[in-house]
Amino acid sequence: MWYNQEAMKKISFGNLMVTGGAGFIGSNFIRHVFEKTGYAGRIVNFDALTYAGNPRSLDDVAAKFGERYVFVRGDIRDPEAIRRAFDEYSIDAVCHFAAESHVDRSIVSPGAFIETNVNGTFNLLQAARERGDAFVRFHHVSTDEVFGSLGAEGFFSETTPYQPHSPYSASKASSDHIARAYHDTYGLNVTITNCSNNYGPYQFPEKLIPLMILNAVEGKPLPVYGEGLNIRDWLHVEDHCAAIWTVMTQAESGTTYCVGGRSELRNIDVVKRICALVERFRGPLPNGAPRESLITHVADRLGHDKRYAIDCSKIERDFGWRQTHTADSGFEETVRWYLDNPAWVESVRSGEYLRWIETYYAGR
Ligand code: NAD
Ligand code: TYD
């Protein structure tokens, strides 16, 4: 890893709260920080364990890092629960991932997105502000979807005006603005990253890539919205985690960085690549048909953004951050991960982990 240990000494904290650390990116981030950055402090994973949170994604971390890793089942909609955890663990920095994160769910049930993404972020910022000078960094993890949708040309960057379309992206835009307001008004140490679509291990199989992998393996239909011509810029979660840590520990307070994968693909091409990889590892369908024959065009998503693409030259220029995965290497590795981890897949799909946590964390 290319971390500049000297530059990272600029901002120093020892009791980092990661909200949403049982989710996809948060769990990868906690593992990354412990294993790759040289961080010597404690991480408190504060997570409500919604359908998307699975503490078993961090079984290895809990076993390896002992008391430096603490799990607290808590809801960011509850200001008192946040304050209790802040006091108990002397929290001096937050990396904020906890959110309702799926656009399709936001179209069906927008209320939860406002409560968690807007009010929950406000509750965290308040708790951070109350700690005064003891609090050194609030990092808000956001999305490029706040910028709206692109045509065939151009890229989002740090100066692109906000124009969110879905209830999800509107809720993330709101939380970005509130986080910035806490910097501008109260001087809270805030940084923000807006990134493109992530993929990699431990992603809940409602999002495009893991859903398509598992359906292709199981011979189920692959539902492509509309013609499948919408474009996303695919960023490997490990590269995203490295970008977040870089910004958290090196960027000036009040700054924003865009993070992208430089891997734009049409949805239909993503699905075809996944079919080809599954076929390479598992062969064609039992009836001899190619996995691609499972592709089924379904009704388009309401308000479906056409294209997202990121100009990430600022983070590259300021800190030397670079992607280490291409779509070719990253997709192959991700398909392999889902094939090699059926127990994890089963645990998130069956709700078994929810029953498990009720007993494992009883009384915490
Ligand atoms: P995820 O849905 O996999 O995980 C969300 C986590 O937050 C879960 O563990 C869930 O239990 C927890 N959570 C939800 N509501 C909570 C609440 N009220 N209190 C405490 N915890 C709660 O999400 P993800 O894909 O890992 O995304 C993490 C963050 O990154 C989100 O803020 C999302 O907006 C942002 N982001 C994601 C992507 C992406 O491609 N996945 C891209 C850009 C930005
Ligand atoms: P998704 O993974 O939900 O991420 P986002 O909506 O945040 O970009 O979807 C990625 C793209 O794939 C998006 O254009 C919608 C499309 N999509 C499908 O075509 N079929 C599906 O079953 C899903 C979940 C998404």
Side-chain angles (χ1 to χ4, degrees):
M1 196 49 68
W2 44 264
Y3 284 117
N4 177 340
Q5 295 292 339
E6 274 313 303
M8 285 194 314
K9 287 187 185 137
K10 221 163 91 181
I11 297 153
S12 151
F13 46 82
N15 291 300
L16 170 64
M17 173 183 280
V18 174
T19 69
F24 163 47
I25 309 176
S27 61
N28 278 284
F29 180 75
I30 291 174
R31 183 177 297 101
H32 178 88
V33 172
F34 277 133
E35 293 191 340
K36 303 273 174 67
T37 66
Y39 174 67
R42 176 163 59 186
I43 294 183
V44 175
N45 176 4
F46 188 89
D47 196 301
L49 299 180
T50 66
Y51 77 94
N54 179 1
R56 303 201 88 163
S57 300
L58 288 164
D59 276 352
D60 58 325
V61 167
K64 207 160 152 190
F65 295 96
E67 291 180 358
R68 290 179 55 211
Y69 172 69
V70 178
F71 178 80
V72 174
R73 188 172 189 184
D75 195 321
I76 60 168
R77 292 171 299 181
D78 177 354
E80 283 314 310
I82 296 171
R83 282 197 189 95
R84 271 197 307 278
F86 267 58
D87 288 344
E88 185 172 352
Y89 298 104
S90 305
I91 296 300
D92 52 4
V94 165
C95 188
H96 176 35
F97 293 92
E100 291 291 339
S101 68
H102 191 38
V103 174
D104 292 321
R105 283 181 192 251
S106 85
I107 294 168
V108 178
S109 311
F113 287 70
I114 307 304
E115 286 168 19
T116 287
N117 302 0
V118 183
N119 297 342
T121 302
F122 161 70
N123 293 336
L124 280 165
L125 287 161
Q126 272 292 99
R129 182 186 158 211
E130 285 165 12
R131 291 198 74 77
D133 291 342
F135 195 84
V136 295
R137 178 63 29 121
F138 189 103
H139 184 76
H140 182 47
V141 180
S142 190
T143 167
D144 61 355
E145 302 188 27
V146 299
F147 301 124
S149 181
L150 292 164
E153 302 287 320
F155 296 91
F156 298 135
S157 77
E158 291 78 5
T159 54
T160 305
Y162 278 40
Q163 198 179 7
H165 296 128
S166 72
Y168 164 69
S169 55
S171 71
K172 294 296 289 188
S174 310
S175 55
D176 284 8
H177 290 318
I178 300 167
R180 256 185 220 112
Y182 269 63
H183 168 267
D184 296 350
T185 309
Y186 306 115
L188 190 71
N189 287 309
V190 172
T191 44
I192 299 175
T193 42
N194 296 91
C195 74
S196 58
N197 288 60
N198 282 218
Y199 69 96
Y202 301 103
Q203 187 168 31
F204 192 84
E206 65 185 352
K207 303 278 166 54
L208 180 72
I209 288 187
L211 179 75
M212 294 298 159
I213 295 173
L214 297 177
N215 282 11
V217 170
E218 292 161 6
K220 293 182 183 161
L222 307 175
V224 171
Y225 300 164
E227 294 300 308
L229 302 180
N230 303 61
I231 293 174
R232 299 292 182 261
D233 171 12
W234 292 96
L235 171 66
H236 193 281
V237 67
E238 182 77 14
D239 289 332
H240 183 204
C241 292
I244 293 171
W245 185 253
T246 300
V247 171
M248 266 199 88
T249 56
Q250 296 183 46
E252 292 302 325
S253 176
T255 54
T256 288
Y257 284 85
C258 284
V259 188
R262 293 195 186 277
S263 287
E264 282 186 59
L265 286 168
R266 302 185 310 175
N267 292 339
I268 188 73
D269 296 326
V270 171
V271 177
K272 285 182 176 170
R273 278 173 178 238
I274 289 169
C275 288
L277 285 163
V278 172
E279 199 146 304
R280 170 134 60 91
F281 299 134
R282 289 284 163 91
L285 291 165
N287 65 5
R291 304 263 167 183
E292 255 188 54
S293 64
L294 297 168
I295 291 174
T296 309
H297 290 275
V298 298
D300 209 350
R301 175 186 276 173
L302 297 178
H304 198 172
D305 286 339
K306 179 75 184 156
R307 173 173 167 255
Y308 303 143
I310 289 248
D311 169 3
C312 49
S313 52
K314 185 182 173 198
I315 188 173
E316 292 174 346
R317 206 174 43 243
D318 285 3
F319 306 118
W321 174 87
R322 294 282 184 280
Q323 303 89 355
T324 60
H325 296 79
T326 61
D328 278 342
S329 64
F331 283 14
E332 177 174 338
E333 178 204 291
T334 303
V335 169
R336 275 186 193 279
W337 189 87
Y338 278 88
L339 293 176
D340 290 346
N341 288 277
W344 182 87
V345 171
E346 182 52 25
S347 76
V348 293
R349 279 174 150 185
S350 68
E352 177 272 329
Y353 77 91
L354 277 178
R355 290 188 291 280
W356 173 81
I357 51 160
E358 292 303 338
T359 51
Y360 189 79
Y361 291 115
R364 292 191 76 142

